[in-house]
Amino acid sequence: MTSAPQANEARRAQAFLVLAMVAFMLLDLALYRNVQRTSGPLGPAAGLVLSLVVDACLPFLGRFPRTVALVACAVTVVAAVGDMLALGTFTPAEQITPVTAPPCTPVIVWFLVHRLPRPKALAYVTVLAVSAIRPWVPDWETVYAGLTTTILPAVLGLYIRARRELVESLRDRAESAEREQRLLAERAKAGERQRLAGEMHDIVTHHVTEIVLAAGALKVSTADHAVQSAAEHIRDAGTRTLTELRDLIGILRHGRRHEPERSTHVTLMTSDLETLVNGAVAAGNPTTLRVTGRPGVVTPAIARAAYRVLQEALTNARKHAPGTPVEVEVAYDHHTMTVTISNTSPVITSELAASGSGMGLDGLRRRVTLLGGAFTAASDPDGGFRVAATLPASVPTETDVPTESEHRTPRGQDVPDGRHGRETT
């Protein structure tokens, strides 16, 4: 297919050729009317007819350059041979200008050296030049006029063509180098992902597995119910962390998830929210959950985002405000849902408060914003902290729908950073 720039260039060239045809026809008619009349056996308009024939071929020069070149060569050869046999047949015996070729010859030569392969273009130009110079009738004015009409536009055209080809070659090389750099960068990224996946599999999952096994052993070996409950909580959190780590390792290795297709909508169930709230209570933060409105059906991306906001905020509260009451409100409207998490001013300072890198809330803000929602996270005047996310009930998505278990252990996303009041990992 022809690209848009090439099509525009072709249209401009065609318009130029039509205008050139009209201009040269008017020039030939003006010369004929005033001085350019032949005195040979074919009548006074013989030269005019040949020039008009070549002029009429100009609009076809873009699509049929070889045909127009043959016509121009034939006309100039006929004129040269006819004048050689009978002086004044196609060129006035006493002409004003020494040009014996059709006046539109420079335009034809210019297009030939741009549109045809160089050997063929030079062959046509040679025929036109010899016919215009007429070396069998030596005359310096005729030689000068013939060279100016044929050789000069050919040299200039070849120079412009070579320069354009050089620029295009340099551009192609630059684009090729850029593509190569992109491929090398992608290959480096893929290698780094593979390295990170290997490190996570060999080191992180190994240590988390040790934590899960130690928690299970502690639960079995102790008779204290509080210790058993804490050990079970640690084991459950470690198991969910392992599941998310496996999914994250798969994403690093393959670049995307491979899961079966399911329905396109899911309901964010209250039991999923209660699981997070119960986990916060077990960790020492008195947490209350309030759901207003009628829970509706939302797309998977919205369900995961709402779950992540609540999970991140509760984790932050445990890190930055341990032991403080936390209020969770999930409000459903006709077309939106709002998740709000707020806690009071922390009484004690946790050692985990200074362990973050400042990326968790930024990640949530980007996720909510990309879904068309609004996200706020700021301190309250009384020293507490409040996180709120307003999300549309539905957005187009091609991602898979998380099941209830996936809500408890969301898959295919980065594990959120925990922070509250300050951003942490």
Side-chain angles (χ1 to χ4, degrees):
M1 295 179 62
T2 303
S3 62
Q6 292 177 343
N8 293 333
E9 183 180 358
R11 284 194 292 268
R12 288 194 297 267
Q14 186 64 30
F16 169 78
L17 290 175
V18 171
L19 292 177
M21 177 192 70
V22 175
F24 282 112
M25 281 185 171
L26 294 176
L27 175 62
D28 290 333
L29 290 174
L31 292 174
Y32 170 75
R33 182 176 180 180
N34 294 311
V35 291
Q36 291 286 78
R37 297 191 181 187
T38 57
S39 56
L42 298 179
L48 173 65
V49 172
L50 291 182
S51 295
L52 292 179
V53 168
V54 179
D55 293 339
C57 294
L58 288 180
F60 306 98
L61 189 56
R63 296 184 60 184
F64 309 103
R66 292 181 178 84
T67 303
V68 177
L70 289 175
V71 172
C73 290
V75 167
T76 54
V77 169
V78 168
V81 173
D83 290 336
M84 183 175 62
L85 297 177
L87 184 63
T89 302
F90 296 102
T91 303
E94 297 181 358
Q95 57 182 4
I96 297 179
T97 63
V99 179
T100 58
C104 64
T105 301
V107 176
I108 297 176
V109 170
W110 180 273
F111 270 80
L112 290 181
V113 297
H114 280 85
R115 299 299 176 93
L116 295 181
R118 286 187 178 86
K120 293 184 178 180
L122 291 178
Y124 290 126
V125 171
T126 301
V127 174
L128 291 173
V130 172
S131 301
I133 294 173
R134 301 186 179 186
W136 54 87
V137 185
D139 184 80
W140 287 113
E141 292 185 357
T142 304
V143 171
Y144 173 78
L147 293 177
T148 305
T149 306
T150 57
I151 301 299
L152 180 60
V155 172
L156 293 177
L158 289 174
Y159 170 76
I160 298 297
R161 177 177 177 176
R163 181 179 177 84
R164 184 179 61 183
E165 291 176 351
L166 176 61
V167 172
E168 291 177 353
S169 175
L170 294 176
R171 184 184 297 112
D172 291 340
R173 289 185 180 182
E175 293 176 353
S176 177
E178 185 179 356
R179 286 193 298 268
E180 184 178 358
Q181 289 295 329
R182 285 200 299 265
L183 290 176
L184 291 176
E186 291 296 330
R187 186 176 300 175
K189 290 179 181 179
E192 185 66 14
R193 286 198 300 266
Q194 293 289 338
R195 188 187 68 80
L196 289 175
E199 293 289 336
M200 293 179 64
H201 180 271
D202 296 337
I203 298 175
V204 181
T205 56
H206 173 72
H207 292 313
V208 175
T209 302
E210 288 183 345
I211 294 173
V212 172
L213 294 176
L218 178 62
K219 178 182 177 182
V220 174
S221 61
T222 183
D224 190 335
H225 292 290
V227 175
Q228 287 181 348
S229 177
E232 175 61 23
H233 178 71
I234 295 173
R235 191 192 67 80
D236 182 62
T239 302
R240 286 187 281 113
T241 302
L242 279 175
T243 302
E244 293 193 1
L245 282 174
R246 293 190 187 99
D247 286 341
L248 184 57
I249 290 172
I251 293 174
L252 288 174
R253 285 178 173 171
H254 304 292
R256 61 187 178 88
R257 289 187 299 159
H258 299 276
E259 295 188 7
E261 297 183 356
R262 306 187 184 114
S263 60
T264 58
H265 292 79
V266 65
T267 301
L268 187 62
M269 301 182 66
T270 304
S271 60
D272 300 324
L273 306 178
E274 290 177 348
T275 300
L276 290 177
V277 170
N278 292 336
V281 173
N285 286 84
T287 305
T288 58
L289 172 65
R290 184 175 62 176
V291 179
T292 60
R294 297 182 59 184
V297 176
V298 298
T299 54
I302 297 298
R304 281 196 296 270
Y307 187 90
R308 287 295 191 183
V309 169
L310 180 56
Q311 185 185 49
E312 170 79 358
L314 292 177
T315 302
N316 289 341
R318 292 197 295 269
K319 288 186 175 183
H320 297 281
T324 60
V326 180
E327 294 183 359
V328 177
E329 180 180 358
V330 180
Y332 293 93
D333 200 350
H334 295 291
H335 302 291
T336 61
M337 65 175 298
T338 303
V339 181
T340 306
I341 307 95
S342 59
N343 66 275
T344 59
S345 177
V347 179
I348 60 175
T349 302
S350 172
E351 295 179 355
L352 298 175
S355 62
S357 62
M359 297 178 61
L361 291 180
D362 287 338
L364 287 182
R365 183 178 290 107
R366 286 194 298 268
R367 177 179 295 182
V368 173
T369 303
L370 287 174
L371 293 173
F375 180 85
T376 58
S379 301
D380 290 333
D382 58 359
F385 201 82
R386 182 176 182 273
V387 176
T390 301
L391 294 161
S394 176
V395 292
T397 178
E398 297 179 357
T399 59
D400 302 325
V401 177
T403 60
E404 181 177 348
S405 62
E406 287 176 309
H407 279 302
R408 295 192 180 95
T409 308
R411 308 180 65 183
Q413 302 289 343
D414 294 335
V415 179
D417 305 329
R419 82 202 140 169
H420 207 76
R422 285 191 304 173
E423 300 179 8
T424 68
T425 54

